[in-house]
């Protein structure tokens, strides 16, 4: 390969893309604006920094997130093995120590001889082959350049992150260790139980608290999986008790019964010195976060290591602005990651891998990668690039996007198991058939 590919953004998608291309013998110029220009949500200059939750979602083999992880590993994904090496206990989910993970990704990228890292803000689309993986916090200048090129209206939605508290500030006489239904027979979460009167008082305080962006949001303004907890609370008094604070599967050891509601805390690192409040993405001001969240039993003296934040994310209307490979028509540029509207950490990694495959295919004059639509990733790509898609909104992988089974069983669990089996079978066949895309990765820099 005598050409260099510019990859803009060293987040999950950009880091995966750069490593995949470099492993195929392609020289990469990886642009990262941090620390020259910091985004509203990032805290470090490391690559693949997780700005919201530290969870990469479920590993259950019969669920769509679990199927996606299997598909990525079958395709030789670079970041998932790093995530597993940096994992922290999280029941049936893959959660990581975010500092160890981002540092490990950074070290891996910097050590690769075919990747040149340039710390600068990119304001224009590069002239040659490139992948824009600038994320949903893409700078205004670059996003305007993209919008001008695709000629389609841009869209935006609001995203939020949850606060993190110090482990030593949690009252262990109240908070107890337990996973719902004791998944995996270990208590990977801390639980702060609420009685009915405590829940009612907390809800009143939450709904009356001062917000950073002081307005009620329309549903289309918010990405459904990351709605601020106070916005969820506005939908009904019991909305949290049946959502993020559901006590199902938990038993308070102090009472021997299920609490009225429960706030779950998930470890941020292997040392369990910090915990994030699961589902507590928020738009509250920092003083109000201290006041309201310290009303949670067990968090009365909580020390906040990081407050929750809310920020505007931008993405393009991919079904009508990009081709089936997420390329800007008539150019040598592809988009990858959340800027395409594919939402989720693992989905971002997946889009970086796919962008690398198709960019490599262009350079090597090979057919593009056409993923089986029966799989988690293939069905998401089909949805996100289908011009018939209307009112395009950010989307996670889910079985609702997958073509239905013939003669499907009536039980949902049986249907999902068969869908997962079909997805794995079809992806394995795809990888074998497209050895021209994957064998080159095994040769790596030996080329």
């Amino acid at each position: 390969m005598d050409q260099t590919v510019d990859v803009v953004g060293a987040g999950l998608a950009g880091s995966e893309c750069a490593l995949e291309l470099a492993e195929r013998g392609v020289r990469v110029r990886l642009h990262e604006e941090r620390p020259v220009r910091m985004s509203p949500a990032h805290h470090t200059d490391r690559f693949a920094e997780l700005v919201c939750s530290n969870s990469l979602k479920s590993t259950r083999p019969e669920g769509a997130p679990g199927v996606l992880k299997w598909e990525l590993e079958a395709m030789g994904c670079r970041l998932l093995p790093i995530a597993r090496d940096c994992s922290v206990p999280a029941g049936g989910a893959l959660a990581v120590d975010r500092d160890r993970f981002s540092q490990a990704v950074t070290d891996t990228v910097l050590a690769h001889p075919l990747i040149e890292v340039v710390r600068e803000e990119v304001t224009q689309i590069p002239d040659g082959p490139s992948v824009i993986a600038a994320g949903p916090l893409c700078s205004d200048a670059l996003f305007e350049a993209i919008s001008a090129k695709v000629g389609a209206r841009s869209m935006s939605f609001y995203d939020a992150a949850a606060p993190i508290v110090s482990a030593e500030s949690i009252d262990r006489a109240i908070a107890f260790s337990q996973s719902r239904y004791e998944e995996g027979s270990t208590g990977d979460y801390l639980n702060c139980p609420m009685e009915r009167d405590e829940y009612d008082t907390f809800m009143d305080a939450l709904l009356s608290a001062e917000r950073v962006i002081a307005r009620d949001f329309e549903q289309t303004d918010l990405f459904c999986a990351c709605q601020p907890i106070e916005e969820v609370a506005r939908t009904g008094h019991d909305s949290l008790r049946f959502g993020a604070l559901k006590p199902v599967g938990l038993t308070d050891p102090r009472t021997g019964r299920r609490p009225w509601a429960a706030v779950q805390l998930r470890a941020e690192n292997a040392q369990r010195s910090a915990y994030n409040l699961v589902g507590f993405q928020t738009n509250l001001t920092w003083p109000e976060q201290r006041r309201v969240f310290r009303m949670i039993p067990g968090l009365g003296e909580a020390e906040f290591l990081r407050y929750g934040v809310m920020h505007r994310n931008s993405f393009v209307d991919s079904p009508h602005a990009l081709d089936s490979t997420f390329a800007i028509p008539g150019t040598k540029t592809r988009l990858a990651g959340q800027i395409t509207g594919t939402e989720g950490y693992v989905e971002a990694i997946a889009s970086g891998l796919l962008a690398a495959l198709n960019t490599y295919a262009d350079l090597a004059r090979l057919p593009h990668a056409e993923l089986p639509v029966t799989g988690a990733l293939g069905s998401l790509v089909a949805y996100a690039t289908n011009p018939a898609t209307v009112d395009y909104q950010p989307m996670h992988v889910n079985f609702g996007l997958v073509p239905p089974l013939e003669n499907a069983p009536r039980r949902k669990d049986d249907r999902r198991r068969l869908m997962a089996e079909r997805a794995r079978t079809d992806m394995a066949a795809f990888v074998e058939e497209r050895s021209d895309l994957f064998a080159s990765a095994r040769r790596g820099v030996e080329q």
Side-chain angles (χ1 to χ4, degrees):
M1 296 293 172
D2 58 357
Q3 284 189 296
T4 296
V5 174
D6 286 286
V7 177
V8 180
L12 293 166
S15 296
E16 176 71 26
C17 182
L19 289 169
E20 293 289 348
L21 286 169
E23 285 297 305
R24 287 166 171 76
V26 179
R27 295 190 178 278
V28 177
R29 188 182 299 113
L30 179 61
H31 303 262
E32 172 53 52
E33 67 180 7
R34 292 173 292 131
V36 177
R37 177 185 177 277
M38 296 296 290
S39 80
H42 287 91
H43 297 269
T44 77
D45 63 353
R46 294 193 293 265
F47 303 160
E49 179 183 345
L50 306 184
V51 300
C52 190
S53 167
N54 69 326
S55 173
L56 276 65
K57 300 175 66 175
S58 173
T59 58
R60 292 173 57 246
E62 67 277 14
V67 171
L68 176 60
K69 293 177 179 64
W70 189 95
E71 291 175 348
L72 292 185
E73 289 172 334
M75 290 191 287
C77 176
R78 308 293 157 177
L79 263 58
L80 267 186
I82 298 176
R84 296 192 189 281
D85 288 343
C86 299
S87 65
V88 297
L94 172 60
V96 300
D97 180 323
R98 71 175 75 222
D99 290 329
R100 282 184 56 213
F101 174 69
S102 60
Q103 187 62 60
V105 174
T106 304
D107 292 343
T108 303
V109 171
L110 292 177
H112 203 292
L114 292 184
I115 300 177
E116 173 193 1
V117 174
V118 181
R119 298 279 188 172
E120 65 177 8
E121 178 185 357
V122 174
T123 60
Q124 296 294 327
I125 298 174
D127 293 331
S130 61
V131 175
I132 306 295
L137 296 173
C138 177
S139 68
D140 291 341
L142 181 57
F143 194 74
E144 288 176 6
I146 296 170
S147 298
K149 183 68 70 172
V150 299
R153 68 182 183 91
S154 63
M155 298 180 290
S156 64
F157 66 100
Y158 282 91
D159 204 352
I164 298 172
V165 298
S166 166
E168 62 183 10
S169 69
I170 301 170
D171 187 347
R172 299 303 179 92
I174 299 175
F176 59 92
S177 177
Q178 188 179 113
S179 296
R180 288 194 177 98
Y181 308 110
E182 292 292 358
E183 293 177 354
S185 73
T186 60
D188 293 336
Y189 292 82
L190 289 181
N191 302 275
C192 299
M194 287 184 174
E195 294 301 324
R196 185 170 187 168
D197 60 334
E198 293 170 325
Y199 177 81
D200 292 342
T201 302
F202 173 76
M203 286 291 288
D204 290 342
L206 182 63
L207 290 171
S208 62
E210 182 181 356
R211 294 170 285 171
V212 176
I213 303 173
R215 70 179 179 87
D216 292 332
F217 287 89
E218 298 292 337
Q219 188 69 20
T220 54
D221 292 331
L222 300 166
F223 175 56
C224 61
C226 291
Q227 291 188 76
I229 192 164
E230 62 273 10
E231 294 298 326
V232 179
R234 293 180 204 287
T235 65
H237 187 75
D238 288 325
S239 57
L240 298 185
R241 198 166 67 85
F242 288 93
L245 276 65
K246 65 181 178 183
V248 177
L250 300 174
T251 302
D252 186 346
R254 298 179 303 166
T255 64
R257 58 181 172 79
R258 187 173 76 182
W260 184 255
V263 176
Q264 287 204 304
L265 311 178
R266 182 175 55 233
E268 273 288 312
N269 51 35
Q271 297 77 28
R272 300 195 180 196
S273 62
Y275 283 80
N276 70 65
L277 280 63
V278 178
F280 269 66
Q281 300 88 353
T282 184
N283 177 39
L284 299 187
T285 65
W286 290 3
E288 290 289 74
Q289 290 184 47
R290 284 195 301 270
R291 179 181 71 85
V292 177
F293 296 158
R294 281 179 174 174
M295 297 174 66
I296 298 170
L299 299 184
E301 301 295 329
E303 175 190 356
F304 288 83
L305 303 179
R306 187 191 77 181
Y307 288 102
V309 295
M310 190 168 178
H311 46 84
R312 186 176 68 86
N313 287 1
S314 299
F315 62 98
V316 301
D317 186 4
S318 295
H320 308 104
L322 307 176
D323 70 15
S324 61
T325 72
F326 289 110
I328 299 175
T331 75
K332 299 179 180 179
T333 298
R334 282 187 175 80
L335 303 190
Q338 293 187 51
I339 196 170
T340 67
T342 54
E343 178 67 27
Y345 288 152
V346 182
E347 287 86 343
I349 294 171
S351 71
L353 193 163
L354 185 59
L357 291 180
N358 283 317
T359 300
Y360 174 77
D362 286 341
L363 297 174
R365 298 181 181 179
L366 299 171
H368 289 139
E370 295 184 9
L371 300 177
V373 296
T374 52
L377 180 56
S379 61
L380 178 64
V381 170
Y383 163 80
T385 59
N386 182 359
T389 300
V390 296
D391 191 23
Y392 184 57
Q393 292 294 316
M395 182 71 73
H396 287 295
V397 294
N398 64 84
F399 281 141
L401 300 176
V402 177
L405 296 164
E406 295 184 10
N407 303 316
R410 295 184 62 182
R411 293 184 69 251
K412 181 172 69 174
D413 289 347
D414 291 337
R415 290 198 303 273
R416 291 189 172 184
R417 176 179 54 81
L418 291 177
M419 282 183 168
E421 291 176 358
R422 180 181 65 175
R424 289 191 287 269
T425 298
D426 291 351
M427 176 56 75
F430 168 76
V431 172
E432 182 176 357
E433 292 168 2
R434 292 307 309 270
S435 60
D436 52 347
L437 292 177
F438 297 102
S440 56
R442 291 192 287 271
R443 293 197 299 271
V445 296
E446 294 179 2
Q447 292 182 334

